[in-house]
Amino acid sequence: MNSQIKVYNQLKTYSRRGAKKNKMHDRKANVATAEAGVDAPTRLLLYKLINNQILEQINGIISTGKEAVILHANSDAGYAENVNEYNRTICSPQLLPKECAIKIFKTTLNGFKQRDRYIKDDYRFKDRFSKQNKRVIINMWAEKEMHNIMRMQRVGINCPDVVVLKKHVLVMSFIGNNHNAAPKLKDARLSSWELSYAYEEIITVMHKLYNQAKLIHADLSEYNILWHDKKCWIIDVAQSVEPEHPSALELLMRDCGNIITFFETRGLPNIYTKEQLFEYITSLNAKTHNAAMLERIHTRGASISVATSPSQDECPEELKNLVYPFDLAWEKSQCERQQREPLKSAESSCLTTADQATSAMGTLNINVPCACQENKS
């Protein structure tokens, strides 16, 4: 009897362990789905886009990255006839592209944890930024990409057209043909003439992006440029910042390095160095930027115009970067103390003389007239 009870208890314990394993397996599968971007709330947003007749069908995944999942979809041909206040798009109904790309920003921050670095110092979003609410950050990230794309379009830079934005789901025009996405610049097979043309076009785009659109891509490389119709198309601009951002010039220098490195590895002759490209775009001195500009970012020393001057010797002493702020503050306090000491000694000497005169007159029994007696007389 005891042996039967023992066997029963062992089987019961084993079944419980199996149930726990199955629960953990299901939980991991659900988390993986959420990390891929297509969780239950996201699927509901996609269903609404279809019910509102903006999209006709969603075909599948084009690519995945650290921050988003890209899906391919077909727009609804009858949308222009059924436009109402609930399903309006950003683009004109007559210009709704036949093929669309759905960018779903991942609802977890495990893949890309530095979003707040690019948002909190942007004047368009810093008043709404809250590090506590992760979902709000992701929605703002999608909105930031939409605004950056629209700003690029206004200055004539090749980029996708924005169709509609729903929370963290951004629908854009599809760069490619017949469900085939345009290749990234790193995968495109370019002739020597096409490679040279792509280089000139990217240089022009970077200059126009900085000086006209007032943006810095902040992650520009051969991975975020598509080659389509013999042209370069710029994508992934959610992290783009304005020139006033504290790390703007640092990010721009990194972009210059990525672009020049790519064309150097492809063997394109007679191209800029990253410092020359930086100076062409910004008209600032790149050598000074490397040494002084990064120091200004971290220590809040001189202004941009001073820190990026051709020579730091031309910079006034009071505006140079504060390498040792504590020592400088200590020396300054000591100088101020030394300047105050002569004044204190003069005041004390005057008081001492007056006291001595009063005591001498008191010894000689000489009455000192007060101010009130003088007034009465």
Side-chain angles (χ1 to χ4, degrees):
M1 185 69 179
N2 292 332
S3 63
Q4 292 178 355
I5 295 174
K6 186 177 181 181
V7 170
Y8 172 77
N9 290 335
Q10 289 178 350
L11 291 173
K12 189 175 181 180
T13 303
Y14 180 79
S15 64
R16 286 178 178 176
R17 289 178 180 175
K20 288 182 179 179
K21 287 183 179 179
N22 292 334
K23 287 182 179 179
M24 289 298 295
H25 178 75
D26 294 339
R27 181 177 177 276
K28 288 181 179 179
N30 292 334
V31 171
T33 303
E35 289 180 350
V38 190
D39 54 359
T42 304
R43 289 195 295 269
L44 182 61
L45 291 175
L46 296 178
Y47 293 150
K48 288 182 178 180
L49 290 174
I50 295 176
N51 291 336
N52 291 334
Q53 296 183 330
I54 298 174
L55 300 178
E56 182 178 6
Q57 62 180 7
I58 299 173
N59 301 312
I61 296 177
I62 300 172
S63 65
T64 59
K66 62 182 179 181
E67 65 172 14
V69 178
I70 311 297
L71 306 178
H72 181 275
N74 292 335
S75 62
D76 196 323
Y79 169 74
E81 301 174 358
N82 299 287
V83 179
N84 54 56
E85 58 180 343
Y86 301 105
N87 65 349
R88 291 188 181 277
T89 57
I90 296 174
C91 68
S92 173
Q94 290 74 23
L95 300 178
L96 189 67
K98 183 178 180 181
E99 292 184 274
C100 297
I102 306 173
K103 187 168 186 177
I104 303 173
F105 291 88
K106 290 183 178 179
T107 53
T108 59
L109 297 178
N110 296 332
F112 188 39
K113 299 180 180 180
Q114 297 182 349
R115 284 188 172 100
D116 57 334
R117 177 190 178 191
Y118 300 91
I119 297 178
K120 63 182 181 180
D121 292 310
D122 193 323
Y123 77 94
R124 297 172 293 179
F125 301 96
K126 65 180 182 180
D127 294 335
R128 298 159 48 196
F129 176 76
S130 174
K131 200 170 183 179
Q132 304 299 325
N133 194 331
K134 307 299 182 183
R135 179 74 68 166
V136 171
I137 294 177
I138 297 168
N139 294 347
M140 290 172 61
W141 194 252
E143 183 182 349
K144 191 168 185 282
E145 173 144 6
M146 179 193 70
H147 286 298
N148 290 340
I149 288 177
M150 296 174 69
R151 189 182 291 193
M152 291 166 59
Q153 286 180 334
R154 285 196 291 266
V155 299
I157 296 175
N158 293 327
C159 59
D161 297 324
V162 177
V163 176
V164 67
L165 172 67
K166 297 293 184 181
K167 295 184 178 180
H168 62 285
V169 177
L170 180 62
V171 182
M172 303 173 287
S173 60
F174 179 69
I175 308 299
N177 291 316
N178 299 324
H179 298 198
N180 295 319
K184 297 177 181 178
L185 190 62
K186 73 178 186 70
D187 299 324
R189 297 182 179 180
L190 306 179
S191 63
S192 57
W193 178 86
E194 290 175 334
L195 189 67
S196 178
Y197 177 80
Y199 169 76
E200 296 293 339
E201 186 177 14
I202 293 173
I203 298 304
T204 303
V205 165
M206 294 179 70
H207 187 275
K208 187 181 293 186
L209 192 65
Y210 181 85
N211 293 281
Q212 297 183 27
K214 303 301 180 184
L215 285 174
I216 294 170
H217 191 285
D219 192 25
L220 189 64
S221 67
E222 63 272 20
Y223 294 88
N224 292 329
I225 301 174
L226 302 181
W227 180 256
H228 179 62
D229 288 342
K230 307 296 182 181
K231 297 177 183 178
C232 292
W233 297 74
I234 309 299
I235 59 172
D236 292 343
V237 293
Q239 72 289 331
S240 298
V241 298
E242 295 194 325
E244 291 78 13
H245 190 278
S247 302
L249 298 184
E250 179 185 0
L251 296 170
L252 179 60
M253 179 65 80
R254 188 178 67 182
D255 288 350
C256 295
N258 292 339
I259 295 301
I260 296 304
T261 300
F262 168 74
F263 286 102
E264 281 180 348
T265 55
R266 289 296 183 95
L268 186 65
N270 302 324
I271 61 176
Y272 284 134
T273 62
K274 68 175 183 179
E275 291 79 11
Q276 291 173 341
L277 178 57
F278 179 87
E279 293 178 6
Y280 167 72
I281 295 171
T282 63
S283 301
L284 299 174
N285 187 275
K287 294 181 180 179
T288 307
H289 165 72
N290 284 336
M293 188 60 202
L294 296 182
E295 184 70 12
R296 185 198 69 81
I297 291 172
H298 297 295
T299 63
R300 306 297 182 184
S303 62
I304 294 178
S305 59
V306 174
T308 55
S309 60
S311 174
Q312 283 294 297
D313 297 334
E314 302 175 5
C315 180
E317 191 68 29
E318 64 274 10
L319 294 179
K320 285 187 177 180
N321 293 322
L322 307 181
V323 182
Y324 301 103
F326 177 79
D327 293 346
L328 183 64
W330 176 260
E331 292 176 1
K332 187 176 180 180
S333 64
Q334 293 297 320
C335 292
E336 292 177 353
R337 179 180 295 179
Q338 292 175 2
Q339 291 175 1
R340 289 196 299 266
E341 285 179 355
L343 298 175
K344 287 184 178 180
S345 60
E347 291 176 359
S348 62
S349 62
C350 293
L351 292 173
T352 303
T353 304
D355 293 340
Q356 290 176 353
T358 304
S359 62
M361 295 175 72
T363 303
L364 297 173
N365 294 322
I366 300 174
N367 296 326
V368 180
C370 62
C372 60
Q373 293 176 351
E374 292 177 355
N375 292 333
K376 288 181 180 179
S377 60

